[in-house]
Amino acid sequence: RVDAAGYEYGALEQVDDAWDDDAAEHLDEVNEEQLNALQSGYEDLKVKHSAVTKQLLDFDTLWQSRRKPLEKELAELVGQMRDLEHEIELAKQPEDRGPPAPGPDVLRWVDSSWFGAWCNLVVVLNLATMLLAPNMAAHEHFFHVCDNIFLVWYIVELSVKVAYHQVNFFCGALSVVWWNWLDLVIVLSGIVDLWLLPLLLSESPAGGVGSLRTLRLLRLFRVLRFLRLLKALLKSDLSWTESNAFEVFMSLVIGTNAIIMGLQLDYEWGGWMWIDNMFLVLYFCELVLRIRRQECKFFTDTSMLAWNLLDFVIVVGGVLDLWLMPLIGLFRSLVLGHENVTADNKLVSVMKLLRLTRILRVLRLVRLLRAIKPLYTLLLGVIESLRAMQWVMLLTLLMLYAGAIFWTSLVGKGLIYSGDVPAPVEENFGSVPRSLFSLFRLMNGDTDVVGAITTTVYGQLLFVSFMVLSNWAILAILT
């Protein structure tokens, strides 16, 4: 019995062990199923989380793309409201025009806007001839006649204004009459310079010529005529500079200038300089008017800062090229009496350097893109695409640089050749910069650079490897 009991007891232990093993296996299976289910649910949640996150990012991007034009429009409206508030304040303040003119009514046109515009146009033409005269010595007689015509006009203009305003022309509020005194000083200096000075020089003995030439300083007053334009600029309403008609006019000017720029390179003509100065006057006046209209906002408005700086750089480059050196020559000829402006080697070097600024004129075409809305939208799309592919371009540059080092080491240094390196190979892959440029050509389909390399097995392997990596991999990302 004991044996039997012991036998039976051992059998029961075996049954219990077997049951425990089955339960453990079942429990493991259940835990594994639960774990798999939990992991599957977690992965599903991750996928949904990524999808919702992407939707939020897309929504933010779409929201920003739709919000940005509204923000820009709101900023423009705020700027227009500020301008109108400033104009309202100015309108509330009585303008200081001085007492009514005691002259005859037949001369009322002296204070009209069209007469003021005509006088300003004459001043612009006078300043233009003053700038061009030092560099066109062959036409000295023509410019002398122009100076006398302008002086006669200034005398007539001053005379009719004095006849209409009489004593009020020189007496009254300082903010009004000081411009009139300036006109008188300019006219008197012109009379002394153009009419009295030549008469005194012709009648004075030779010893007194040097002292009389000190009167050349009076010619500097001729340059002060630009202050008359400043007067018109400060007292005029410039709201028309933001109108659509003005934008269309400037677009036509830029388009015409672009065509003329192409003709200048192919056809030699002495009149191109006059046309360049005419366009520069238009661009300069536009820039000054816009700065006067927008004031500090011209350099602080972030929405238009890039375009404003571009316009500023273009105009400044043209002024340096076409006006700065003639002004230096004008000063040398009027004050110092040096007729040959280009005699100084230093001035010649500076002039050559400043002529490089003519390259900036091509940037005016960018302004034409801004004026045409469909082209401007297309330009913005190109800029956005360039931003999206910046990392691809960086990857391409790194790949080309690494390839240039690899090809220069194996091909340019002759490691794949048993003898001397062929001359075409040395020319294309003899250094890292040459290898970099050659691989760039090869990447864009110019296989002539590897014509002498594919004659060997190693060269063919290098060619195939690079084409697969560059054309099939890198360019596939771009396209």
Side-chain angles (χ1 to χ4, degrees), residues 306-375:
W307 295 107
N308 293 339
L309 291 180
L310 177 63
D311 294 342
F312 186 80
V313 170
I314 293 174
V315 174
V316 170
V319 170
L320 292 177
D321 177 29
L322 297 178
W323 292 353
L324 180 61
M325 295 310 299
L327 274 176
I328 296 176
L330 180 64
F331 177 81
R332 289 165 57 89
S333 61
L334 294 181
V335 179
L336 304 179
H338 297 168
E339 301 297 335
N340 189 3
V341 181
T342 60
D344 194 344
N345 292 330
K346 294 183 179 179
L347 286 179
V348 173
S349 302
V350 173
M351 291 176 65
K352 290 181 179 179
L353 180 62
L354 291 179
R355 287 194 182 102
L356 294 177
T357 58
R358 295 185 180 181
I359 302 175
L360 297 176
R361 296 185 304 171
V362 74
L363 296 178
R364 290 170 184 157
L365 294 175
V366 181
R367 288 195 55 193
L368 186 61
L369 294 178
R370 186 186 66 180
I372 303 176
K373 297 301 181 182
L375 290 180

Side-chain angles (χ1 to χ4, degrees), residues 89-385:
E89 293 296 329
L90 293 179
K92 292 180 180 180
Q93 299 176 1
E95 186 176 0
D96 189 8
R97 293 181 177 271
D105 291 340
V106 72
L107 297 178
R108 283 185 300 177
W109 51 268
V110 170
D111 289 338
S112 62
S113 57
W114 67 266
F115 183 72
W118 175 257
C119 294
N120 293 330
L121 178 61
V122 172
V123 174
V124 171
L125 294 176
N126 188 194
L127 293 175
T129 56
M130 290 171 60
L131 291 174
L132 295 176
N135 291 332
M136 303 182 67
H139 302 82
E140 181 180 359
H141 179 70
F142 169 77
F143 287 108
H144 182 71
V145 172
C146 290
D147 288 339
N148 283 273
I149 293 176
F150 287 128
L151 180 58
V152 171
W153 166 258
Y154 293 140
I155 294 175
V156 173
E157 176 194 2
L158 184 64
S159 300
V160 295
K161 287 183 177 181
V162 171
Y164 181 59
H165 293 279
Q166 298 180 6
V167 69
N168 295 335
F169 190 76
F170 296 108
C171 300
L174 182 62
S175 60
V176 176
V177 301
W178 87 273
W179 295 100
N180 302 331
W181 281 100
L182 178 64
D183 291 342
L184 178 62
V185 171
I186 292 175
V187 171
L188 292 178
S189 64
I191 294 174
V192 173
D193 177 30
L194 294 179
W195 295 345
L196 297 182
L197 181 61
L199 181 62
L200 293 175
L201 289 176
S202 62
E203 296 180 356
S204 299
V209 172
S211 60
L212 289 175
R213 286 185 176 177
T214 58
L215 293 177
R216 289 180 180 270
L217 292 174
L218 291 174
R219 297 186 179 182
L220 290 178
F221 285 97
R222 297 167 59 189
V223 184
L224 296 180
R225 290 169 187 168
F226 81 93
L227 293 177
R228 301 185 60 185
L229 300 178
L230 181 62
K231 170 188 174 182
L233 180 64
L234 294 176
K235 293 188 176 183
S236 60
D237 180 21
L238 302 178
S239 58
W240 53 270
T241 58
E242 298 178 354
S243 62
N244 293 330
F246 184 72
E247 290 292 335
V248 172
F249 171 73
M250 291 307 303
S251 300
L252 293 176
V253 171
I254 294 172
T256 305
N257 190 18
I259 297 175
I260 291 177
M261 286 168 57
L263 296 176
Q264 285 179 328
L265 298 176
D266 296 332
Y267 300 96
E268 295 290 339
W269 182 45
W272 291 128
M273 182 180 62
W274 294 84
I275 296 178
D276 286 341
N277 279 275
M278 180 187 68
F279 281 114
L280 184 57
V281 167
L282 292 176
Y283 293 133
F284 182 78
C285 292
E286 183 214 8
L287 180 65
V288 172
L289 293 175
R290 288 172 56 195
I291 294 177
R292 170 66 180 84
R293 174 67 176 172
Q294 303 177 16
E295 297 180 349
C296 296
K297 192 173 69 173
F298 184 86
F299 298 101
T300 58
D301 186 7
T302 56
S303 61
M304 297 295 295
L305 181 60
W307 295 107
N308 293 339
L309 291 180
L310 177 63
D311 294 342
F312 186 80
V313 170
I314 293 174
V315 174
V316 170
V319 170
L320 292 177
D321 177 29
L322 297 178
W323 292 353
L324 180 61
M325 295 310 299
L327 274 176
I328 296 176
L330 180 64
F331 177 81
R332 289 165 57 89
S333 61
L334 294 181
V335 179
L336 304 179
H338 297 168
E339 301 297 335
N340 189 3
V341 181
T342 60
D344 194 344
N345 292 330
K346 294 183 179 179
L347 286 179
V348 173
S349 302
V350 173
M351 291 176 65
K352 290 181 179 179
L353 180 62
L354 291 179
R355 287 194 182 102
L356 294 177
T357 58
R358 295 185 180 181
I359 302 175
L360 297 176
R361 296 185 304 171
V362 74
L363 296 178
R364 290 170 184 157
L365 294 175
V366 181
R367 288 195 55 193
L368 186 61
L369 294 178
R370 186 186 66 180
I372 303 176
K373 297 301 181 182
L375 290 180
Y376 181 60
T377 304
L378 183 61
L379 177 63
L380 293 180
V382 173
I383 295 175
E384 290 296 330
S385 63

